[in-house]
Amino acid sequence: MIYRLGELFCGPGGIAWGALNADIGDDNYKIVHQWANDYDKDTCETYRYNICSDNPKSVYHKDIREFNLENLPEIDALAFGFPCNDYSVVGEQKGMDGVFGPLYSYGVKVLNIYNPIWFVAENVGGLRNANDGKAFTKIIDELKKAGTHGGYTVVPHLYKFEEYGIPQARHRIIIVGIRKDIDVAYHVPSPEPYADIDNTCRKAIEDPPIPTDAFNNELTKQSKTVIERLDHILPGQNAFTADLPDELKLNVHGAKISQIYKRLDPDKPAYTVTGSGGGGTHIYHWKESRALTNRERARLQTFPDTYKFIGSKESVRKQIGMAVPCKGAKIIFEAILKSFAGIEYPSIEPNINE
């Protein structure tokens, strides 16, 4: 079957790339783009350019709270990486009490209107602890009950993408749901087949070398002070663990975020690529005293070098940081397709109870 995919909070297309490139060796089981929505204009332009250049009007640039969900083209599948701002351990952790917390409900609305065969929902690991765990319980309960075909069987799991060959320590809760009236069961794919992949950040960034004419590869201008500070920071260290001269130390009281001016360890996966933040949060090269370029950051998110991000340098940085790693998404979509095709694959038990 060809599954027509709708997306809310689509971002620049990490999930979509994984879906459209999912291949189980049977052309009868594929995923195609149907429509997508995001509130950010640059993000929508990036998505249109890379995912659906032949059908740009299928991407709706609109705040979800003002977006008419009725009368969209029919879909067989839904993906929604609902905003994580209020669930992230880096944020204020307002959970359901924040502006972004309740936005998952629009995914539930789409399930109720279109009754897709299956869905994929994505959020940060902190979702489980928001509002003392009540937010996660509420979201799972509403997803289970959604639609008009008896609800969905849901399989939530905290995926540690570095275990799946992704060159980045990125931990995300992904919830796969399949309609209960359909006799198909999804199993969490095992990370074991990816155990021998070289997923060091050195490999991701340097092999093969980034083409000189690659998109989004301009260097960040570093101040003299930043360069001097980085010169004293060893691979894997940050501004607080390095032996810095007094004049280069940061005047920070309270919480000391470990990613501030943190150099990559070239022999390990990168630490988590983030979408925004002030000085010291850009991810720093292990050898050269500079921040990574957006293209290098995109490689850590497993976007192909041909993937063009549209917008200002800071806008592109945000888009890359908010995305789901392309190849990580592909693994999950291939597991879904194999489930429907009746193809067995190595699997593990979910690490989250419903």
Side-chain angles (χ1 to χ4, degrees), residues 23-66:
D23 183 359
I24 62 170
D26 185 342
D27 287 343
N28 292 313
Y29 292 89
K30 283 190 173 296
I31 304 168
V32 297
H33 163 79
Q34 181 76 314
W35 51 257
N37 158 258
D38 201 275
Y39 79 103
D40 183 76
K41 185 175 184 294
D42 289 343
T43 294
C44 287
E45 289 297 330
T46 295
Y47 190 103
R48 288 186 184 107
Y49 181 90
N50 297 280
I51 301 298
C52 56
S53 58
D54 58 336
N55 188 13
K57 290 184 179 180
S58 65
V59 181
Y60 301 91
H61 169 222
K62 195 82 172 175
D63 186 315
I64 192 71
R65 293 164 291 195
E66 301 168 1

Side-chain angles (χ1 to χ4, degrees), residues 63-199:
D63 186 315
I64 192 71
R65 293 164 291 195
E66 301 168 1
F67 183 41
N68 182 7
L69 296 172
E70 306 278 351
N71 303 317
L72 291 166
E74 290 294 324
I75 56 173
D76 308 296
L78 172 70
F80 60 110
F82 53 105
C84 62
N85 311 55
D86 291 324
Y87 302 118
S88 172
V89 294
V90 179
E92 296 179 32
Q93 299 180 22
K94 294 181 178 179
M96 286 292 186
D97 301 323
V99 174
F100 301 101
L103 295 185
Y104 77 92
S105 63
Y106 291 92
V108 176
K109 287 180 182 178
V110 170
L111 295 177
N112 288 334
I113 295 169
Y114 297 98
N115 292 285
I117 296 168
W118 52 267
F119 72 80
V120 173
E122 177 266 344
N123 207 276
V124 292
L127 174 64
R128 279 190 297 177
N129 303 318
N131 303 98
D132 297 321
K134 294 175 184 175
F136 185 65
T137 300
K138 177 179 172 63
I139 290 169
I140 291 292
D141 187 56
E142 291 190 28
L143 290 172
K144 281 183 175 181
K145 294 176 179 176
T148 58
H149 291 262
Y152 289 83
T153 299
V154 301
V155 181
H157 184 74
L158 180 68
Y159 291 80
K160 297 182 178 181
F161 282 117
E162 68 273 24
E163 296 178 355
Y164 290 85
I166 306 303
Q168 178 193 169
R170 195 175 189 90
H171 301 170
R172 291 293 183 268
I173 290 176
I174 293 179
I175 306 163
V176 174
I178 296 177
R179 256 179 29 201
K180 284 186 176 178
D181 63 327
I182 296 168
D183 187 22
V184 171
Y186 170 82
H187 302 285
V188 177
S190 170
E192 190 174 338
Y194 310 93
D196 294 331
I197 291 176
D198 182 350
N199 65 340

